[in-house]
Amino acid sequence: MLKLTVNLPDKSYPIYIEKGIIQNIGENIKKIYKNKKIAIITDSNVEKLYGQKLENNLIKENFITKMIIIEPGEKSKSFEVLQRVCDELLEFNLTRGDLIIAFGGGVVGDLGGFAASIILRGIPFIQIPTSLLAQIDSSIGGKVAVNSKHGKNLIGSFYQPVAVFIDPDLLRSLKDRVFYDGMAEVIKYGAIRNKELFYNLLQYKTKEELLQNIDMVIYSCLSIKKDVVEKDEKDTGERMLLNFGHTIGHGIEKCFNYEKFTHGEAVAIGMAAITEASEELEITEEGTSALLKKLIAKYNLPYELPDINKTELFKAMNMDKKNIGKSMNIILLESIGQSFIKNIKPEEIEKYIKS
């Protein structure tokens, strides 16, 4: 078992990474939680594959459970779904001493964590991420949110879990598109902070070879995120580095109504577009853009900006939550493994998007 601990001023929590950890999850939770009630928030895809296994494992340890199921996909991160989830949690008569488990990908983690943060003004919750994107990124750091008509993740809070349990074996049941969606975030970590990880990803010959090494890939990504979150929990400084490709990516997602591109696909396009532009502006080391595109393509992700209304894209990007007053922050690469935050005026963004 690999273990990391996120150490924050107000709260510290463990991250456990182990193949097969889901098989004895009840026993592991019993070590850190002494009450009986557990509400499980998941989506219908995950529930069909693993819901009964998780619930049976918890019942075996004498926990009283309730499964709350949402539809998969970004559209479930809405006020309407949040309200239904909160109503079901209240019907279960949870108290502040009880526990919520967010069991799924990034959507479930964001929605479930946000519900946990507002029910009774805060109930402890555990993340059990089932997608690669959630395992290496969204399940730690405490960002929880829903979307609005104005953009993605604009309504939310910072609410840290009490523990994160990561079972890499769960990734084997993912469809290829969902798996590679998560690889965009892995590529991001290599590009911004870990040159060795980036070049290792270039060298894996098959998906199976990658899966054989996935424990350490996950560990490498989470080590970076843990370090950044510990320095900047509330995303006002260094943590913004984790948003490489995201400002453009979120804009693309919104312009296509969250239907054409997955989050990772949109982020991959964003990383490629901004790096090609910054290289032409002689901000980024020559050849970086070609390397990045090569790695993006290797993991079946797009890197070319789609046919899109630029006015709408810029409008969506200007609504990004990382913007401050009359300026916005973008993340650029100096070279592979080296990144920095650049503050620009919103009207300057066009020159940082290579179409």
Side-chain angles (χ1 to χ4, degrees), residues 60-88:
K60 186 176 72 174
E61 298 297 332
N62 297 315
F63 290 118
I64 301 164
T65 64
K66 177 182 176 62
M67 188 82 70
I68 299 172
I69 303 168
I70 66 171
E71 288 302 306
E74 197 69 32
K75 287 193 173 181
S76 282
K77 279 174 59 174
S78 67
F79 268 126
E80 293 75 19
V81 176
L82 178 67
Q83 182 172 346
R84 177 177 70 78
V85 168
C86 287
D87 283 341
E88 291 197 45

Side-chain angles (χ1 to χ4, degrees), residues 208-237:
E208 182 57 37
E209 185 180 356
L210 170 62
L211 283 169
Q212 287 171 4
N213 292 278
I214 201 70
D215 307 56
M216 288 309 302
V217 169
I218 293 168
Y219 184 85
S220 296
C221 293
L222 290 181
S223 295
I224 296 169
K225 183 153 191 181
K226 160 189 141 60
D227 180 58
V228 172
V229 168
E230 286 174 346
K231 292 175 182 174
D232 177 26
E233 181 184 359
K234 297 298 173 67
D235 203 12
T236 57

Side-chain angles (χ1 to χ4, degrees), residues 93-105:
N93 293 319
L94 284 181
T95 71
R96 285 184 182 175
D98 294 325
L99 182 70
I100 293 171
I101 293 176
F103 182 48

Side-chain angles (χ1 to χ4, degrees), residues 115-182:
S117 75
I118 58 177
I119 284 287
L120 305 179
R121 297 191 174 90
I123 290 178
F125 86 111
I126 283 173
Q127 290 268 22
I128 306 179
T130 60
S131 70
L132 180 57
L133 189 151
Q135 290 190 355
I136 57 99
D137 191 79
S138 62
S139 63
I140 79 161
K143 283 186 177 181
V144 294
V146 294
N147 302 331
S148 86
K149 66 180 181 180
H150 299 291
K152 188 169 178 177
N153 298 331
L154 295 180
I155 303 163
S157 57
F158 290 92
Y159 193 68
Q160 303 291 345
V162 295
V164 182
F165 294 94
I166 295 172
D167 187 343
D169 281 346
L170 301 180
L171 302 177
R172 291 187 174 274
S173 63
L174 296 177
K175 292 179 180 178
D176 277 352
R177 188 182 184 192
V178 179
F179 179 80
Y180 291 124
D181 174 57

